[in-house]
Amino acid sequence: MNTEKAANKLRDVLNLDKTAIKQIPFNEVKITISKQQLLLAVKTTLKSGIWHLSAITCQQLEDDFILLYHFWKSGGLSLQIRLDEKNPQIDSICPLIPGAEYYEREAREMFGIEFLGLPNPVPLLLPDDWQGGFPMRKKEQTNHDKSEGDDLQQKGKSS
Amino acid sequence: MNKTKTSKIIKWARQKSPWLLHFNTGGCNGCDIEILSLLTPRYDVERFGILKESSPRHADILICTGPVTQQVKPRLQRIYDQIPEPKWVLAVGSCSCSGGIFSGAHNILGGIDKVLPVDMYIAGCPCRPEAIIDGIVKLLEQIR
Amino acid sequence: MSKITVPIGPQHPLLKEPLSFLVSLEGEKVTGSVLRLGYVHRGIEKLAEQRTYIQNIYLIERICGICSHIHSTTYCQSVEALLKLEVPKRGLYIRMLLCELERIHSHLLWLGVLAKNIGLNTLFMYAWRDREIVLNIMEEISGGRVSHSVNVIGGVQVNLNESHLSLLQQNLQELNKRVKEILRSIENDRSFQARTQKIGYLSLEDIKRYCVVGPVARASGLDIDIRRDAPYAAYDELNFEVPVMTEGDVWARSILRIHETLQAIRLCVQIINNLPDGPVSITAPRRVPAGEVASRAEAPRGEVFYYVRSDGSQNPARLKIRTPTLTTLITLPGQLKNMQLADVSTIIAGVDLCIACGDR
């Protein structure tokens, strides 16, 4: 099944409004769903023969979090979910798609989203002794020079 | 054999066969592949006696590329401590000189000199193999 | 039998990048492994939000030195889609030429690294000597061996003249001959086969479950290639084959990549023979209108995915990058299980990791 037909099937199964479906470049269909509909939406997408998950994007829009699940089969199919800033919790899709683990772990450590049922909730990219909060959140301004320790430029010579 | 003759021979040996240990402390790989190119037939640094070693205990010179990330810092310190004296540190590429294009990021501490005493800075983004050879030769002249 | 844990990395002779493995052994057999990434994490997605769209081209190129052009191509084509720009054909052809040259150089680089890890130093020297031909061509066109800065928003900033085209013709013929020679010498070589066959096996089921992309997926039987299935730039105007194998081990991945190199040379020849006339770029407005775009391209290691959202200001509101190495890293513990300790280096090299891409 191609992504257009899969999008229509999702609209029927989840009872979505026509305005929930949008086209964005390049050949990508974006469907807005609620967080309770996520697991059913992913199961329907897998049943339609679309099993390749390209990425899970997390971003902040006016303090709320937006999660985008990007699927692909000759065309793109993205599921958009809005999470409240006070309660950034959502079910993990790792039991259905094991390949989502790294993407969810990254969203968790960079934005602080909690994925219920994530198999390995340890940091992926940030250091073990990281104290700086959630770096990708809008409030974190990280354009500063961290000068830990002194400059040991005792015998430097430029080539 | 008196002391000056022995020390002359040791100095000559150090200059004629510097063994390198290469460590990427967070760079993009651009400078690393140019360092590996040094071993290949086009540049062939083995004719200068340079060998690329895998263990810190065998090396004389530590070649570092990339800016120092927070996760790498204790490992870099440990590797430097494991290299026996006398040892020298080369910072190859703009990132290891000063943090380069990534300075200011949340995980970057800066150049190599935030952690170790650097003997030679070789700038470039990425650094050309000819510049790296030039830097090593100038460093070896310093040993004299 | 004794159970021990061997730490591999972050400084190790296998890869030139820091990556840490904790391999649990029972005797000589691997029973499990734990991966630690993050040594090369530079926070590029956050940095990109603090720079303008034009400054980001130079930042994005330095995510990885081996596949820098494909990153900047995907980024530029995303921003061009937001601006609704149509890049002139000649610009697209020059972009594709550099993409394919980069594919050739990346595969030859990987072949040398695999050979070094197996212990076949001669092949390392031959592969990297032949790679210098490609680097010479890229330096003639763009001025840089590793980082080219050829892309701008709206096209490219270099042009090919008669001397470039004749240099390309000559060198591509020579390169074709040499790569065929390499293929001939290792395809039926018994020691190479003994070191790489039946090692690091991934089934088609595993590929689909972990959403693996690139030559690792194609070597296990999955027929995907973004250049053919969702053509970007001007790939729909070119003829090429996508090699697919079914053995799923390190040997299949090696032979597949050499076939891909030969196809890339074939594509380069087509590009220079059919290079259209005209301008190489179109002027792009400074302000990017609000919108979002999801774009994909085929890097040497697989599908690279970019999501760019603009809110009308001069910096991107969100730039999300998913590189192909992340998809293959997640399969490594499964590949290493029940393998011998001596084969660990072959498996890690056979997957063609680019940790700088994975960590960003």
Side-chain angles (χ1 to χ4, degrees):
Chain A
M1 201 187 286
N2 69 9
T3 45
E4 286 271 357
K5 290 197 183 132
N8 289 334
K9 185 164 177 205
L10 269 172
R11 194 189 58 200
D12 295 330
V13 166
L14 300 173
N15 228 348
L16 298 169
D17 195 46
K18 230 187 255 184
T19 54
I21 304 190
K22 231 176 88 169
Q23 279 277 358
I24 60 172
F26 288 77
N27 199 13
E28 186 106 358
V29 179
K30 193 174 81 154
I31 305 179
T32 309
I33 61 177
S34 73
K35 76 177 191 186
Q36 292 80 11
Q37 296 173 313
L38 173 66
L39 287 177
L40 180 57
V42 173
K43 282 188 190 137
T44 317
T45 313
L46 290 172
K47 273 208 200 105
S48 313
I50 301 178
W51 45 264
H52 181 74
L53 178 72
S54 286
I56 300 179
T57 303
C58 186
Q59 52 181 327
Q60 257 188 308
L61 190 63
E62 300 139 14
D63 292 341
D64 282 343
F65 296 105
I66 307 251
L67 274 176
L68 278 160
Y69 291 76
H70 304 279
F71 289 88
W72 185 79
K73 187 181 183 170
S74 304
L77 176 72
S78 296
L79 300 172
Q80 175 169 285
I81 298 173
R82 196 170 187 126
L83 294 176
D84 190 31
E85 187 205 359
K86 311 269 184 339
N87 184 23
Q89 257 190 11
I90 195 168
D91 292 317
S92 161
I93 62 169
C94 287
L96 298 169
I97 303 179
E101 183 190 329
Y102 276 13
Y103 311 142
E104 290 186 347
R105 274 168 72 182
E106 193 185 333
R108 180 178 171 272
E109 66 179 353
M110 294 291 171
F111 285 91
I113 314 273
E114 212 189 298
F115 290 91
L116 306 165
L118 181 59
N120 201 8
V122 294
L124 183 73
L125 300 178
L126 290 177
D128 301 319
D129 51 358
W130 178 253
Q131 299 292 333
F134 301 116
M136 287 292 296
R137 284 198 181 179
K138 289 283 181 203
K139 292 186 210 132
E140 304 283 338
Q141 287 308 312
T142 55
N143 209 355
H144 54 270
D145 220 346
K146 267 197 214 156
S147 321
E148 256 195 48
D150 20 281
D151 262 339
L152 300 167
Q153 277 173 284
Q154 292 151 359
K155 24 183 183 154
K157 219 180 177 188
S158 217
S159 164
Chain B
M1 228 188 261
N2 58 29
K3 250 193 171 172
T4 20
K5 252 198 185 151
T6 331
S7 61
K8 262 194 181 161
I9 292 177
I10 294 175
K11 234 186 205 158
W12 168 84
R14 278 193 193 129
Q15 271 186 315
K16 291 296 179 183
S17 72
W19 285 8
L20 304 178
L21 177 73
H22 164 231
F23 188 36
N24 176 350
T25 60
C28 74
N29 275 337
C31 296
D32 302 296
I33 57 183
E34 296 292 60
I35 289 176
L36 270 185
S37 294
L38 292 179
L39 304 169
T40 58
R42 186 177 187 171
Y43 297 102
D44 193 18
V45 288
E46 220 171 309
R47 58 199 158 114
F48 301 133
I50 296 177
L51 274 183
K52 189 161 130 19
E53 280 299 313
S54 3
S55 164
R57 298 281 188 204
H58 295 184
D60 298 309
I61 302 183
L62 176 64
I63 286 201
C64 288
T65 58
V68 178
T69 58
Q70 211 174 309
Q71 176 81 341
V72 139
K73 181 180 165 201
R75 282 88 180 168
L76 178 62
Q77 188 65 55
R78 207 181 305 162
I79 289 171
Y80 179 73
D81 293 336
Q82 286 182 342
I83 301 178
E85 292 280 354
K87 52 192 170 189
W88 296 272
V89 177
L90 238 61
V92 169
S94 305
C95 290
S96 48
C97 294
S98 65
I101 199 169
F102 306 115
S103 66
H106 59 254
N107 200 24
I108 300 287
L109 301 173
I112 304 287
D113 53 20
K114 295 272 190 266
V115 183
L116 303 176
V118 177
D119 293 285
M120 184 68 71
Y121 295 88
I122 308 175
C125 190
C127 204
R128 288 189 68 95
E130 290 94 338
I132 303 174
I133 298 179
D134 189 41
I136 296 178
V137 165
K138 288 206 168 109
L139 178 72
L140 294 176
E141 279 169 11
Q142 241 192 339
I143 299 175
R144 200 191 291 271
Chain C
M1 208 160 334
S2 60
K3 295 193 174 133
I4 48 171
T5 310
V6 175
I8 300 183
Q11 186 270 319
H12 52 100
L14 304 178
L15 291 174
K16 47 194 163 352
E17 296 173 279
L19 169 69
S20 166
F21 274 92
L22 280 173
V23 179
S24 316
L25 297 169
E26 205 174 289
E28 285 272 323
K29 198 171 75 157
V30 177
T31 50
S33 54
V34 176
L35 216 59
R36 183 57 170 104
L37 300 177
Y39 293 94
V40 195
H41 176 62
R42 294 149 286 164
I44 288 187
E45 294 180 7
K46 185 74 182 181
L47 282 175
E49 289 174 16
Q50 294 157 346
R51 285 158 169 68
T52 64
Y53 285 95
I54 297 180
Q55 287 173 328
N56 275 335
I57 303 178
Y58 302 100
L59 176 68
I60 297 294
E61 261 180 358
R62 284 158 176 84
I63 293 180
C64 175
I66 306 173
C67 46
S68 72
H69 179 78
I70 194 73
H71 277 284
S72 78
T73 299
T74 325
Y75 172 73
C76 287
Q77 77 186 20
S78 315
V79 182
E80 283 152 11
L82 282 173
L83 288 166
K84 299 197 180 30
L85 282 182
E86 207 173 301
V87 177
K89 273 281 151 83
R90 193 178 173 94
L92 289 177
Y93 269 64
I94 296 179
R95 260 188 198 170
M96 286 195 300
L97 176 68
L98 274 147
C99 284
E100 294 310 311
L101 285 173
E102 194 174 65
R103 196 179 314 273
I104 300 171
H105 118 77
S106 171
H107 285 340
L108 284 174
L109 187 152
W110 162 82
L111 185 63
V113 170
L114 174 75
K116 201 154 196 268
N117 280 355
I118 294 181
L120 190 56
N121 258 338
T122 316
L123 183 58
F124 165 60
M125 295 294 171
Y126 273 116
W128 280 56
R129 180 201 66 174
D130 298 338
R131 188 177 152 257
E132 292 291 331
I133 300 179
V134 183
L135 295 182
N136 275 344
I137 300 176
M138 295 206 280
E139 193 177 356
E140 273 301 316
I141 298 177
S142 68
R145 283 159 54 98
V146 170
S147 196
H148 316 118
S149 295
V150 158
N151 280 324
V152 288
I153 298 178
V156 296
Q157 58 182 350
V158 296
N159 207 342
L160 298 178
N161 57 26
E162 285 303 321
S163 74
H164 290 135
L165 293 175
S166 68
L167 175 80
L168 273 159
Q169 291 273 19
Q170 229 176 319
N171 283 343
L172 286 173
Q173 252 176 9
E174 177 67 31
L175 192 63
N176 202 22
K177 221 170 49 175
R178 291 195 189 180
V179 175
K180 282 198 168 131
E181 186 60 36
I182 290 180
L183 179 65
R184 191 192 61 82
S185 58
I186 64 170
E187 195 167 19
N188 297 317
D189 181 52
R190 293 248 283 266
S191 11
F192 189 80
Q193 286 177 353
R195 289 301 303 272
T196 54
Q197 276 183 340
K198 299 195 174 40
I199 291 179
Y201 174 69
L202 276 177
S203 67
L204 188 55
E205 271 305 308
D206 291 327
I207 298 285
K208 287 186 170 175
R209 282 171 63 225
Y210 290 110
C211 303
V212 183
V213 293
V216 177
R218 289 193 279 272
S220 292
L222 185 65
D223 190 6
I224 52 159
D225 191 322
I226 306 281
R227 295 173 293 169
R228 180 201 54 195
D229 301 332
Y232 55 97
Y235 276 105
D236 44 0
E237 297 177 11
L238 301 175
N239 290 326
F240 61 102
E241 279 166 21
V242 177
V244 178
M245 295 176 80
T246 48
E247 288 86 346
D249 52 14
V250 175
W251 183 81
R253 291 169 202 153
S254 318
I255 304 298
L256 186 102
R257 285 195 180 102
I258 303 181
H259 281 292
E260 279 188 9
T261 312
L262 291 168
Q263 288 297 317
I265 298 176
R266 177 181 165 191
L267 273 167
C268 287
V269 170
Q270 279 181 52
I271 290 172
I272 56 178
N273 287 340
N274 301 325
L275 194 64
D277 295 317
V280 291
S281 70
I282 182 175
T283 326
R286 281 287 175 111
R287 272 293 133 133
V288 178
E292 52 190 346
V293 59
S295 98
R296 294 169 170 87
E298 185 78 15
R301 287 163 187 80
E303 169 203 352
V304 67
F305 172 82
Y306 269 63
Y307 170 81
V308 183
R309 185 171 68 85
S310 159
D311 54 6
S313 69
Q314 59 177 359
N315 297 352
R318 178 75 169 107
L319 173 64
K320 164 76 181 170
I321 306 163
R322 197 280 276 142
T323 49
T325 307
L326 270 182
T327 63
T328 45
L329 273 169
I330 201 172
T331 61
L332 267 177
Q335 282 186 49
L336 288 175
K337 206 168 164 99
N338 294 332
M339 292 282 124
Q340 300 289 312
L341 178 62
D343 291 325
V344 168
S345 64
T346 317
I347 297 173
I348 295 177
V351 170
D352 196 6
L353 299 173
C354 179
I355 306 298
C357 273
D359 281 355
R360 286 151 292 134

